[in-house]
Amino acid sequence: MKPIRLLIADDQPLVRQGLRAVFAPLEDITILGEASNGAEALELVRRTAPDVVLMDVNMPRMSGLEATRRIFSGGPRDPAPKIVMLTMYDQDEYVFEALRAGASGFLVKDSSPARLAEAVREVADGGALLSPSVTRRLIGEFVRRPAVPSSAASELTTLTSRELDVFRLLVQGYGNAMIAEKLTLGESTVKSHVQHLYRKLGVQDRVQVVIYAYENGLV
């Protein structure tokens, strides 16, 4: 199994040094490089094609939020980098904007080394990072918005009946193992269906599946 290719983007040298110290000894994660601002991160993403980017929210020249927007501005890429926003608190004011821009979640900078490594592996495997407080804010943001007719979700017509079944369970928060159990399928089959519907809906991960469902009035 090939190592996960990781890029670190943070304007504080001590933070970058600390993150490098966490990941450098790990055999399943390879550090491709470091960026001190969003512009450098954007250039490194284009040059090195990382699997995961740890992106600080606030950086000089270009913020991590803007860099994330630009990374995904042309639509889903193949291979698509997974962006995890680094923040001091999980109540960061940019949570919703970052998730809509394409981020797979948020990670607090003072997380334990074990949690940092687990998070990178999790998003590299198609997962997402949302604490309960972030989830509440995300749902609250949608609740305040007017409902959109479900007919707006034209991409759903491209899904097979089985992919629709998987979509409904994803939106409800089920993981691959539970979906496999409910639909009496193998986990590898479920994973294949998940990847197909990601591509058809133009999303990157489970977080964006939920965002898609809310924005189109499906939840």
Side-chain angles (χ1 to χ4, degrees):
M1 189 172 185
K2 293 196 298 185
I4 298 167
R5 296 156 56 86
L6 177 68
L7 178 65
I8 298 169
D10 195 290
D11 63 319
Q12 299 179 42
L14 285 177
V15 172
R16 296 199 305 273
Q17 182 179 346
L19 291 172
R20 179 173 282 277
V22 169
F23 293 107
L26 303 180
E27 294 183 358
D28 62 333
I29 298 176
T30 298
I31 301 173
L32 297 181
E34 300 175 10
S36 61
N37 58 64
E40 289 181 7
L42 189 61
E43 177 58 28
L44 278 173
V45 165
R46 289 169 175 166
R47 282 200 291 109
T48 64
D51 299 310
V52 179
V53 182
L54 292 179
M55 183 89 75
D56 187 17
V57 173
N58 294 303
M59 292 185 287
R61 287 188 59 193
M62 183 189 296
S63 70
L65 180 60
E66 179 59 26
T68 299
R69 285 197 190 101
R70 296 193 185 193
I71 287 171
F72 295 109
S73 62
R77 296 165 41 142
D78 187 18
K82 304 294 184 180
I83 310 295
V84 177
M85 307 304 292
L86 292 171
T87 178
M88 293 302 296
Y89 312 100
D90 68 1
Q91 290 291 338
D92 194 286
E93 62 180 308
Y94 300 116
V95 166
F96 180 69
E97 293 179 61
L99 294 176
R100 288 199 67 194
S104 294
F106 272 65
L107 195 59
V108 180
K109 288 185 180 182
D110 63 359
S111 299
S112 69
R115 178 54 181 149
L116 289 166
E118 177 189 2
V120 168
R121 295 181 182 118
E122 189 174 340
V123 297
D125 194 41
L129 302 170
L130 287 181
S131 69
S133 60
V134 170
T135 302
R136 284 194 297 270
R137 293 186 65 195
L138 178 62
I139 294 173
E141 177 69 29
F142 283 116
V143 168
R144 290 191 293 271
R145 292 167 174 241
V148 177
S150 59
S151 60
S154 59
E155 294 88 351
L156 287 182
T157 62
T158 68
L159 301 184
T160 65
S161 60
R162 184 57 83 191
E163 288 166 355
L164 278 171
D165 292 337
V166 173
F167 171 82
R168 294 186 185 101
L169 293 174
L170 279 178
V171 172
Q172 294 176 53
Y174 290 104
N176 286 356
M178 284 299 296
I179 293 174
E181 181 179 334
K182 284 184 171 292
L183 299 180
T184 319
L185 297 171
E187 281 194 53
S188 60
T189 301
V190 170
K191 190 170 184 179
S192 178
H193 285 315
V194 169
Q195 293 303 317
H196 290 161
L197 72 87
Y198 282 176
R199 186 180 69 253
K200 291 179 179 180
L201 299 182
V203 301
Q204 301 294 326
D205 52 39
R206 295 165 189 269
V207 172
Q208 294 209 329
V209 170
V210 175
I211 289 176
Y212 177 93
Y214 272 102
E215 287 189 326
N216 288 285
L218 302 171
V219 177

